[in-house]
């Protein structure tokens, strides 16, 4: 909804706060120790889930891997810095620079791994969160 909400569900009015505090600061589904102990790839995957997953699968429909397959890390960062300018329908990257760098590292890990499910996914298990199981259904 132009001027109100981006296609990834992030409200325009929240962008400044999320750029200061980080996109993951409002991601209640993330396991608390992911940010502190699981490393940059796990954090990058969490950022991907928060910002990209609504429109981009890893492989399949509107897949991210074919988009970045031949890119280097500098090109990924440049694209993340200019998403909404490169493609007008894309939202801008929202979050901190460390989150952006983590997302870039995660995307690069997918190209090296051939786009298979990353091991970082295991670090994002929600079983330690206080979320009723019926809310966790896909």
């Amino acid at each position: 909804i132009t001027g109100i909400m981006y296609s990834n569900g992030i409200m325009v009015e929240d962008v400044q706060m999320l750029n200061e505090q980080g996109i993951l600061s409002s991601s209640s589904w993330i396991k608390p120790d992911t940010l502190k102990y699981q490393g940059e790839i796990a954090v990058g995957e969490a950022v991907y889930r928060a910002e990209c997953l609504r429109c981009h699968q890893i492989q399949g429909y509107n897949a991210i891997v074919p988009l970045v397959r031949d890119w280097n890390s500098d090109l990924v960062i440049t694209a993340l810095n200019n998403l909404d300018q490169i493609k007008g329908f894309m939202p801008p990257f929202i979050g901190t620079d460390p989150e952006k760098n983590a997302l870039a590292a995660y995307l690069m890990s997918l190209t090296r791994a051939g786009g298979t499910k990353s091991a970082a996914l295991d670090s994002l298990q929600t079983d330690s969160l206080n979320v009723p199981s019926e809310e966790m259904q896909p």
Side-chain angles (χ1 to χ4, degrees):
I1 304 169
T2 304
I4 297 173
M5 182 173 65
Y6 291 109
S7 56
N8 56 10
I10 297 171
M11 303 298 289
V12 172
E13 66 186 25
D14 295 336
V15 169
Q16 182 177 348
M17 180 268 302
L18 294 172
N19 282 337
E20 293 169 3
Q21 296 178 12
I23 189 72
L24 299 181
S25 68
S26 67
S27 299
S28 59
W29 48 266
I30 190 168
K31 192 173 178 181
D33 69 348
T34 298
L35 301 179
K36 190 170 182 180
Y37 302 111
Q38 298 298 325
E40 188 175 49
I41 301 297
V43 171
E45 185 171 13
V47 173
Y48 166 82
R49 287 179 170 209
E51 293 211 39
C52 313
L53 187 59
R54 291 193 182 187
C55 297
H56 296 281
Q57 295 180 0
I58 300 297
Q59 294 284 7
Y61 180 75
N62 208 19
I64 198 76
V65 169
L67 295 174
V68 300
R69 178 175 289 132
D70 297 323
W71 294 11
N72 61 34
S73 58
D74 290 337
L75 184 54
V76 171
I77 291 291
T78 299
L80 292 174
N81 285 333
N82 300 287
L83 285 174
D84 56 328
Q85 296 164 12
I86 294 169
K87 295 188 176 186
F89 55 84
M90 292 280 293
F93 176 83
I94 299 166
T96 64
D97 284 340
E99 288 174 332
K100 184 186 308 172
N101 293 333
L103 176 58
Y106 173 67
L107 294 174
M108 294 305 299
S109 78
L110 293 174
T111 62
R112 287 191 297 273
T116 59
K117 179 181 171 184
S118 114
L121 186 63
D122 295 334
S123 70
L124 299 173
Q125 297 294 327
T126 56
D127 55 355
S128 68
L129 300 177
N130 295 323
V131 179
S133 59
E134 62 270 5
E135 289 182 22
M136 297 304 299
Q137 297 300 315

